[in-house]
Amino acid sequence: MSSKATGSITVTMEGSNKSAKLPLLGGTLGPQVADIRKLYGELGIFTYDPGYGATASCESTITYIDGDEGVLLYRGYPIEQLAEQSSFLEVAYLLLNGELPNKAQYAEFDKGVTRHTMLHEQLRRFFEGFRRDAHPMAVMCGVVGAMAAFYHDNLDINDPEQRRIAAFRLIAKVPTIAAWAYKYSVGQPLVYPRNDLSYAENFLYMLNGVPAEPWVNNPILSRAMDRILILHADHEQNASTSTVRLAGSTGANPFACIAAGIAALWGPAHGGANEAVLKMLAEIGSPENIPQFISEVKDKNSHTKLMGFGHRVYKNFDPRAKIMKETCHEVLAELGIKDEPLLDMAMEMERIALSDDYFISRKLYPNVDFYSGIILKAMGIPTSMFTVLFAVARTVGWVSQWKELIEDPSQRIGRPRQIYTGAPARDFVAMDKRG
Ligand code: ACO
């Protein structure tokens, strides 16, 4: 890790002569960071930052976001270039290893991932233990966590080779688990992976293929799937990634950590948003109801949010949303969908929101999930699978961040503090003496 000292700031406590000089650190890009580690020791005070809006929890070399400028870089490479010119597996190599692979490195990585796509046959029986109507994210949490019960030979997190194998297994098997969660829910035979297909093709094959007839690859759709996976692969210290890191900081095995990440991703404020966008559009029903919906969103007492809008970090535009919007049009054109009422509504919603002072003043713009749901729906992916697909893509980022955490000698168990506002110390009162 290599942040550099760039200066210092002095914190003085008003009303006393106590002060602390705190080092300022700088990374390659982004704002300077005050290193507050000595603050408690020197002044006896904690810092307070609920939601961590101004807190760097770690050093990382993986992903950089400039929320004001709408910049997203994976290992320094702009997301637009990667989405246009790279492939998901190449991006996975980049995120995990720090550099783009040469031909030989790529071939070896590709082989490593494709050779791990099958699940232990006993894991197959897990699926039958779930109700058919279980949400596939619930199945994902369970089966990914259960991988630790099957792959004992790569649980030693201090062995780099075991970490490497665990990374391969997670990246390779997560699409199989995701597709099987879906197949199980619709009562179709579970489709075994095909290693002659690309990562995105194989995923679509396992989702849509049936033994009764040959599966035909549509290159436009598999390219769109590949792009969706690239766009969702990593996003620095978001809620699910921070969850993976926090779990990882305890020394928990990688399968447990990724299962924790999947759980955090499930929420509608995070990965569940793409599913929520479609639900919202369906509930609004038709464009003439949009103004009424927007006024409900603006009503402080309503708790209604415009799903797919807003982001903790992007306060200008989400660069992923731009690419997603283009991909959305490409996919609909390929599928010959000229009038997609949901897309028309989404575009009308975007137009109205972007000209409304409520959204402008709060810097609320469409995020990646505003359009991804519409593409996935057009591709025939059921709504309940949207967040699962996000989890498949983000597994690469989670694994890369987990690996970086384990390899960082300065890492300690994550253990935030609090402002305690509960009762002061008091004596226990026996039940018969309580009022
Ligand atoms: N619709 C309406 N108002 C919103 C929205 C929205 N989608 N997002 C934020 N606001 C408002 C808030 O009510 C708040 O208003 P106030 O200042 O009057 O109280 C203001 O904008 C600031 O919002 P915060 O909640 O402080 O923003 P925060 O950074 O905490 O939340 C979040 C970010 C969770 C993404 C939020 O914008 C949201 O819930 N969006 C909808 C869900 C969504 O699309 N999530 C996907 C995120 S991207 C991803 O995970 C891939």
Side-chain angles (χ1 to χ4, degrees):
M1 293 292 165
S2 56
S3 63
K4 303 243 175 345
T6 53
S8 64
I9 55 165
T10 303
V11 178
T12 306
M13 279 176 87
E14 270 178 39
S16 87
N17 56 1
K18 280 177 152 184
S19 67
K21 194 173 167 186
L22 304 175
L24 284 176
L25 304 175
T28 326
L29 298 165
Q32 294 185 90
V33 171
D35 179 348
I36 56 158
R37 279 175 289 183
K38 291 195 181 130
L39 199 60
Y40 181 61
E42 296 193 2
L43 295 184
I45 57 173
F46 290 154
T47 54
Y48 181 57
D49 184 18
Y52 313 115
T55 296
S57 60
C58 61
E59 284 194 20
S60 180
T61 60
I62 301 174
T63 293
Y64 174 73
I65 303 173
D66 182 334
D68 295 324
E69 297 298 322
V71 170
L72 169 60
L73 310 176
Y74 290 169
R75 300 285 191 183
Y77 295 103
I79 191 66
E80 294 83 357
Q81 292 180 23
L82 293 169
E84 190 59 41
Q85 299 171 47
S86 187
S87 69
F88 179 66
L89 262 200
E90 189 178 43
V91 167
Y93 182 98
L94 174 70
L95 288 169
L96 272 169
N97 300 297
E99 295 297 335
L100 287 167
N102 61 29
K103 266 192 179 163
Q105 288 166 331
Y106 183 76
E108 200 201 329
F109 184 72
D110 184 41
K111 190 170 150 199
V113 172
T114 49
R115 284 291 156 85
H116 282 98
T117 47
M118 287 198 300
L119 294 181
H120 191 292
E121 197 57 17
Q122 254 177 285
L123 256 178
R124 196 190 148 91
R125 295 198 206 132
F126 259 65
F127 289 84
E128 282 148 32
F130 290 101
R131 280 172 55 139
R132 291 266 178 202
D133 58 357
H135 195 288
M137 280 300 275
V139 178
M140 289 291 285
C141 289
V143 180
V144 171
M147 284 174 77
F150 285 85
Y151 301 105
H152 292 152
D153 58 340
N154 58 187
L155 295 181
D156 180 359
I157 61 165
N158 297 315
D159 177 348
E161 183 54 17
Q162 294 199 30
R163 290 202 297 271
R164 200 178 72 90
I165 304 284
F168 275 137
R169 284 196 168 128
L170 277 158
I171 295 166
K173 293 182 199 302
V174 153
T176 314
I177 297 171
W180 285 13
Y182 168 59
K183 287 294 194 191
Y184 179 74
S185 74
V186 289
Q188 287 184 9
L190 309 184
V191 176
Y192 285 88
R194 261 180 58 188
N195 290 354
D196 59 322
L197 300 174
S198 76
Y199 193 90
E201 286 166 359
N202 177 50
F203 186 33
L204 284 173
Y205 162 69
M206 290 189 293
L207 280 172
N208 298 328
V210 285
E213 56 189 58
W215 175 79
V216 181
N217 178 36
N218 177 330
I220 303 261
L221 299 191
S222 42
R223 177 70 194 130
M225 174 59 76
D226 196 71
R227 195 172 276 181
I228 292 170
L229 295 174
I230 292 174
L231 294 180
H232 287 89
D234 194 50
H235 215 225
E236 53 118 301
Q237 308 312 318
N238 57 83
S240 57
T241 303
S242 297
T243 302
V244 169
R245 278 189 177 258
L246 198 55
S249 78
T250 69
N253 72 71
F255 304 112
C257 295
I258 303 307
I262 293 171
L265 186 75
W266 195 355
H270 192 10
N274 49 14
E275 189 177 339
V277 169
L278 278 211
K279 270 196 195 135
M280 172 188 77
L281 292 174
E283 273 164 29
I284 297 170
S286 68
E288 63 267 20
N289 299 332
I290 295 176
Q292 166 61 29
F293 178 77
I294 297 275
S295 49
E296 207 177 295
V297 166
K298 288 156 63 176
D299 177 359
K300 277 259 169 225
N301 303 318
S302 80
H303 299 294
T304 305
K305 284 240 157 86
L306 178 43
M307 300 313 284
F309 257 67
H311 196 273
R312 170 57 61 81
V313 183
Y314 294 120
K315 299 298 176 197
N316 181 336
F317 65 92
D318 179 341
R320 302 167 302 170
K322 270 192 172 175
I323 304 168
M324 204 58 101
K325 189 173 175 178
E326 281 165 26
T327 310
C328 188
H329 286 287
E330 269 170 39
V331 166
L332 294 184
E334 166 63 20
L335 295 172
I337 302 174
K338 291 206 179 63
D339 293 310
E340 168 49 88
L342 288 180
L343 180 65
D344 295 343
M345 270 203 358
M347 294 210 318
E348 180 61 2
M349 186 95 97
E350 186 184 7
R351 193 189 63 73
I352 294 178
L354 293 182
S355 56
D356 190 309
D357 190 55
Y358 175 93
F359 296 92
I360 297 170
S361 62
R362 288 171 179 77
K363 301 187 173 175
L364 300 171
Y365 297 89
N367 60 49
V368 66
D369 285 332
F370 193 65
Y371 283 102
S372 66
I374 296 166
I375 307 182
L376 295 174
K377 180 175 183 289
M379 287 169 80
I381 312 268
T383 318
S384 63
M385 285 297 289
F386 291 0
T387 312
V388 174
L389 209 134
F390 192 161
V392 168
R394 187 55 60 84
T395 295
V396 165
W398 291 330
V399 171
S400 306
Q401 301 266 353
W402 171 80
K403 180 171 169 281
E404 184 176 67
L405 166 97
I406 301 298
E407 290 169 2
D408 176 0
S410 70
Q411 93 87 17
R412 304 165 72 200
I413 186 168
R415 179 42 172 106
R417 301 306 301 266
Q418 62 175 5
I419 305 179
Y420 175 69
T421 55
R426 48 186 168 162
D427 290 324
F428 181 79
V429 180
M431 196 177 281
D432 59 357
K433 302 235 164 58
R434 290 174 214 160

